[in-house]
Every structure is written in structure tokens, then in C-alpha cells.
Amino acid sequence: MSKAPKKPGRLTKKHWIGYAAGDLGGCMTFALMGSMVTRYYTNILHIDTLVLAGLLLVWNIWDAVNDPMMGVLMDKIYSKTHNKNGKFRPWLLRSAPLLCITFIVLWTVPTFFEGTALLVVLFFCKILYEGCYTMFNIPMGSLLSAMANNDEERASLSSARGFGGMVGNMLPMLIFPILLQTMGENSAAFGAGAAVCAVIGFVFCLLHYFWTEERNVTYAPVTEENKVRVTDIFQIFSKNRAFVALCLHGVCICTMQYVSSTLGTYMYSDVLGSIGLMSMTTVISMPLMIVVLLVSPKIAKKLGLENMIRYCLLIGSLLYVGLFAAHVVMAVNPWVHIIWSSLATGIGMVSIQMQWGLVAEVTDYNEMLTGKRNEGTIYGTFNLSRRVGQTVGNSAAVLALGWIGYDSVLAASGGIQSAGTIFGIKALCVLLPAIFCIGSWAAFKFVWNITPEVRAQITANKDAIAANQVEK
């Protein structure tokens, strides 16, 4: 007789803090990969930009494909072993020290080499770090589906992840610049900064492991019907419309996010006249984000998580359209732009903070449709869709600058861009985000198919599975 899983109790504050610690720990290293690592490559390792561009292409491809690979691996191993410690948490314990070590190695070991040897060592150090980050990030994200049982719990854990990610992105940007200012911009300072952030991240990764619990555990025996296969992802795409909607949302919202972040400096420097004002968007956006993360679980309980996200996307897009119209007909005061755009971005970005709960719901739906939970495969492939959006956003933003005739030489000399270029910057930074928000909204409006009736069927299916396990 197999042991039936215990009936899950309520989420506790310990669960909430533990889940927040996961993204905090991961972001302690990941944040530096977006903000400081290019400077490390060029100013410390002195890598030629053309060579670096080639390396980045290969690394980005690896970053994209290893997410679904890791997800499938977790699903397959658990289907065979049914590890008593859970499906995801054992991976957290394995990956946390590896993530810490490989990050420190990436920022220190290549400095001892030169020429071709440096490039080879750097290449594999980056590959190892990204592999270990994926080994931590995929089970950390997938864990939400094993912890939450309803929209309120999913929204609560998504808020927890949002808080953790916010702190995890801020701390490295406080620590690293101080060390560079104190020690000078040299290899020792970069190595020390990486080590401090990696160790802090490791501590929080361990807290994530010890303070979380897999509350939704199934022990179904492996049969030909429920055997996990690499090709399961094709079945998920063909049967699970809600998953397709979620992936379309991932592409749209990440494209919007990365177009905005890539082109934001041009809006402030060339249109509003002061790039320094850009820092004020953080001052205004931070309190708004905190309020959103605090109230979202209660709103999701009343409206449903998907409905809340859909309404926020629509409101955010309308605010962007209104701001663009204002820019067309008048010279918008910079402070008006800052406040207006911060509201539009903050409301639209609710979908990014809360989307993790929908991944859990899609997983439950997939279990009803196919008899397989496939949490790792689903989360990993959703992450791949987000990577596509990031790549498209970055690339499209750079290409668009050329299309609108942006003159970098003129900008360097303090000159004013042409009227057509100024209009193009406004369209790219204000109107384009509205279009991608509408695209994400449309995915939930016309493709997403988990209705209250379907949600009731999902609940009945989960109850039936639990009852069947009790009988066995």
C-alpha cells in the first residue's frame, strides 16, 4: 500500500517568506548579469566587441534552450524516482552551492588568462553559470504550482516572488557600485563584488529550500499513458489552449518590457531633455509596485487572477495611448510624463508580477487534460517564450533606432534630433508598449479558455486524484 499525501493546510508566513527568498537569492547574481557584466567583459577582460557579440549570440541560444531541457529533466526523473523530498526542492539544494561557486568563478578565474585561453575559459564559465542558474530557477518557479491551490494562494506567492525579486535586484546595485568606488574599477573589485553577492544569494537560496513545502504531491505509478517524454511539450501545445495564451503573453509582455528598457534613455535625453530624470521613475514606481504586490492577492480573490491581469493590461495600454496622444498634440511636461508613464508601466506590469500563478493554473489544467502535471516542462517552455520576447525586444529596439534616423554623432555633440526622429522616439517608447500590452490582453481575452466552469472541473479532477491515492 502506498502512502497517500497529506491534505495540505493553509499557506503560512513561513511559506510566503521562503518563496520570496528564492527569487531574492537568484536575483543576487542574475541582476549583475544585466547591469555589470558587459563592463566586466570590456573594461576588465578587454574583449573585442565583435568577438563579444559572437559569444553573446551563442550564450543567448544556450540560455534559451536550457530552460525547457531542465524542465523536462525534472519531470522525467521524478516520474521514475518519486523522491520523498519532493519533485523540485531536491534540485534547489543541489543547485544553490553550484550557483554560488560558478558565479564567483565566472567573475574571477578568466582574469588569470589572456588571449585565446581567456576566451575559452570565459566561454565555459558562462555556460556553467547559466546551466546552474537554470537548475535553480526552473524548480524555484515551478514550485509555486506545488504550493498553491487557488487564485488567492497563487497571487499571494506571486506577490512574494515579486517582493523577493525587487529586493534581489536592488541589493547588488547598492553593493557593487560601493565596492567599485572604494576599491577602484579593477579585477579585485569585480571579484569581491561577485563573491559578496553570490554568498548573500546562497544564504537566501537555502532559506528558500528550508522554508518552502511541496503541498501538492502525487504518487501515481508510472504507466505508458502517464510516462513523461520529451515530446510531451507538443501535446501540451496542441491540447492546452491556456498554455498557448500564456506563451503568447510571455512573448508580448517581454518584448514590451525590453523595448522600453532599451529605448528609455533616448526618451529622456532626446525628447524630455534630461537623462537624469530617468532615475525619478524608480522613485515613483517603487511605492506603486509595493502597493500592487500587497493588494493583488485580495483583488485576485474577488475577480480571479486571470481577470485581474487582463484588466490591468487593458488599463495600462489605454494609459499609454493617452500619453502618446498628449505627446502628439502638445509638449508634455517631463514630470507629467514621468508620473503618467510610471502609472501605465506599473499597472501593465502587474501581469509580469502575477503571471507565475497562471503557470500553476495551466499546470493543473494540463493534468486534467493529459493525466500529467509536467510542471517543469511547462514552466521551462514558458520561460523560453519570455526569452524570445527579450531577444526580439532588444534586437527590434536597436533596429528601430536606425529606421527612425537616429543620429548618434549629433547626440554626442549635444545636437537636437530631427522632428521625424523625435516623433519616432515617442512612438517607440510610448505607443509601442501600448500595442504589446494589447497583444498580451488579446491572448487572455481570445485564447485563454479556463472559465469558472473549467476551473470547477479542474478542482474536481484534483479531488478525484487525491481520493484515488487515499484508496490505494
Side-chain angles (χ1 to χ4, degrees), residues 138-200:
I138 297 301
M140 185 273 294
S142 302
L143 185 60
L144 190 149
S145 66
M147 294 181 69
N149 287 296
N150 52 55
D151 276 354
E152 184 180 10
E153 291 184 345
R154 292 176 186 126
S156 177
L157 290 176
S158 295
S159 292
R161 178 172 179 171
F163 274 111
M166 182 172 62
V167 176
N169 278 291
M170 287 174 56
L171 279 179
M173 297 315 298
L174 291 174
I175 295 169
F176 222 90
I178 291 174
L179 285 174
L180 292 182
Q181 181 67 31
T182 304
M183 301 175 64
E185 192 170 338
N186 51 51
S187 59
F190 276 83
V196 170
C197 292
V199 171
I200 294 174

Side-chain angles (χ1 to χ4, degrees), residues 203 232 398 401 415 420:
V203 171
D232 283 349
V398 174
L401 281 176

Side-chain angles (χ1 to χ4, degrees), residues 2-230:
S2 62
K3 183 180 178 181
K6 65 179 179 180
K7 187 178 180 62
R10 292 179 60 84
L11 283 176
T12 65
K13 289 182 180 179
K14 183 177 178 181
H15 289 138
W16 195 91
I17 296 171
Y19 196 69
D23 216 26
L24 197 164
C27 286
M28 285 300 301
T29 62
F30 191 71
L32 294 175
M33 300 306 293
S35 59
M36 290 290 181
V37 76
T38 301
R39 197 168 187 85
Y40 169 65
Y41 294 151
T42 58
N43 293 21
I44 302 301
L45 300 183
H46 304 294
I47 300 174
D48 181 81
T49 53
L50 289 177
V51 175
L52 181 58
L55 290 172
L56 288 171
L57 177 62
V58 178
W59 287 335
N60 285 334
I61 293 172
W62 166 242
D63 292 348
V65 301
N66 67 23
D67 286 344
M69 285 170 54
M70 186 66 212
V72 172
L73 180 64
M74 287 191 307
D75 287 337
K76 285 183 69 68
I77 290 179
Y78 184 73
S79 70
K80 294 179 180 179
T81 63
H82 290 303
N83 191 321
K84 65 179 182 179
N85 295 317
K87 185 175 186 178
F88 306 113
R89 293 177 66 254
W91 290 97
L92 300 173
L93 195 58
R94 295 170 191 145
S95 59
L98 295 176
L99 179 61
C100 177
I101 292 168
T102 55
F103 188 72
I104 296 173
V105 167
L106 172 64
W107 291 74
T108 55
V109 171
T111 62
F112 295 102
F113 296 86
E114 294 181 355
T116 302
L118 184 153
L119 296 177
V120 172
V121 170
L122 176 65
F123 178 84
F124 285 106
C125 286
K126 177 68 159 58
I127 290 290
L128 287 173
Y129 164 74
E130 290 295 346
C132 292
Y133 179 79
T134 298
M135 191 188 297
F136 177 82
N137 180 257
I138 297 301
M140 185 273 294
S142 302
L143 185 60
L144 190 149
S145 66
M147 294 181 69
N149 287 296
N150 52 55
D151 276 354
E152 184 180 10
E153 291 184 345
R154 292 176 186 126
S156 177
L157 290 176
S158 295
S159 292
R161 178 172 179 171
F163 274 111
M166 182 172 62
V167 176
N169 278 291
M170 287 174 56
L171 279 179
M173 297 315 298
L174 291 174
I175 295 169
F176 222 90
I178 291 174
L179 285 174
L180 292 182
Q181 181 67 31
T182 304
M183 301 175 64
E185 192 170 338
N186 51 51
S187 59
F190 276 83
V196 170
C197 292
V199 171
I200 294 174
F202 173 65
V203 171
F204 280 98
C205 288
L206 288 183
L207 286 178
H208 178 60
Y209 170 78
F210 287 111
W211 288 3
T212 54
E213 175 188 5
E214 296 193 31
R215 303 158 72 228
N216 304 323
V217 183
T218 58
Y219 299 97
V222 179
T223 65
E224 274 304 309
E225 289 74 21
N226 66 13
K227 184 178 180 180
V228 175
R229 298 178 175 85
V230 175

Side-chain angles (χ1 to χ4, degrees), residues 285-320:
S285 299
M286 189 70 68
L288 177 62
M289 185 182 299
I290 292 173
V291 170
V292 166
L293 291 172
L294 286 173
V295 303
S296 288
K298 295 180 180 179
I299 297 175
K301 185 178 180 180
K302 293 181 70 71
L303 298 179
L305 189 55
E306 173 264 329
N307 284 330
M308 181 187 73
I309 289 175
R310 188 153 49 89
Y311 293 147
C312 287
L313 286 167
L314 187 58
I315 294 170
S317 64
L318 291 175
L319 286 171
Y320 274 124

